[in-house]
Amino acid sequence: MFHINAQVVALLASLVAGAALLADRKFRRAGFWERLAGADVTWINAVPAILAILADHPVMARPARLRFIRSASVPLPVAVRDRIQSRTGVPVVESDLGHLDEAGFLFLAGRTDDVINRGGEMLYPREIEEVLIADPAVQDTVVIGRPSPVLGQVPVAYVIPALAPDTAGRLQDLPRAATGKIQRHRVGLSG
């Protein structure tokens, strides 16, 4: 409960809605689905690391009333989202930035603090990162906005190659918080 996701989205939202909340002291993959099925849960709030673990294991007893799984805190890789949706048969949604279509459906696209405004065009770093990370030569990446005197901001990608770096000075790892989220504000330009 040390992160805003657990405090606000899981705990406070459930209390305000008058819902019951099932919180484990510690995440355990073994028996996870069985515990939830026994509690008759309707939605799951989890971070991408937990969903990645669950995506690689069979769902033994999915809760019958499970409507969706909510992912938050850090971006969820598309491959993990696809695997967990395939295994559970329920949609995975991500939180902070989205839009409603004409039919009233909500589509989530990223976080407002991550948006890069390039000459009035809103670019979502995550969309650029997903294209880059799909390349087998890329191990990890982060995209940030760099100030531009003409456009306001331009996207800049920092890439950790999948192969061992052969020259000094390459970025070895991306700065992360305790939750695993990349700390974009700590990624700087070296020239």
Side-chain angles (χ1 to χ4, degrees):
M1 291 293 192
F2 73 94
H3 192 270
I4 193 75
N5 172 42
Q7 295 168 3
V8 174
V9 176
L11 179 63
L12 292 180
S14 296
L15 293 175
V16 168
L21 178 70
L22 173 64
D24 277 342
R25 183 173 284 277
K26 180 179 178 182
F27 170 70
R28 292 179 309 274
R29 173 183 55 223
F32 177 83
W33 294 109
E34 291 81 0
R35 281 192 304 282
L36 295 185
D40 201 26
V41 300
T42 57
W43 70 286
I44 296 170
N45 182 52
V47 296
I50 288 176
L51 295 178
I53 292 168
L54 293 173
D56 289 332
H57 291 84
V59 176
M60 301 307 285
R62 181 178 72 81
R65 293 183 47 200
L66 183 61
R67 297 178 310 163
F68 65 92
I69 298 170
R70 183 184 170 278
S71 177
S73 298
V74 296
L76 179 67
V78 173
V80 172
R81 184 200 65 208
D82 291 348
R83 283 197 319 271
I84 198 78
Q85 286 182 153
S86 173
R87 289 192 183 271
T88 63
V90 297
V92 175
V93 296
E94 290 187 78
S95 55
D96 299 323
L97 181 64
H99 70 276
L100 293 174
D101 70 5
E102 294 96 28
F105 289 98
L106 176 63
F107 292 87
L108 301 171
R111 299 169 56 104
T112 57
D113 58 346
D114 292 343
V115 175
I116 298 169
N117 185 341
R118 182 188 174 276
E121 179 183 10
M122 301 306 172
L123 304 175
Y124 299 96
R126 177 172 177 184
E127 293 176 352
I128 300 167
E129 291 163 355
E130 287 177 358
V131 170
L132 293 171
I133 205 73
D135 187 320
V138 176
Q139 176 183 318
D140 205 358
T141 186
V142 64
V143 173
I144 62 170
R146 180 178 72 190
S148 166
V150 175
L151 297 172
Q153 290 181 303
V154 293
V156 176
Y158 288 84
V159 175
I160 297 177
L163 303 174
D166 56 0
T167 60
R170 282 193 176 169
L171 189 61
Q172 299 295 316
D173 198 6
L174 300 172
R176 297 183 186 274
T179 60
K181 179 180 177 183
I182 295 174
Q183 296 179 314
R184 292 177 190 276
H185 68 279
R186 289 186 49 208
V187 178
L189 296 174
S190 60

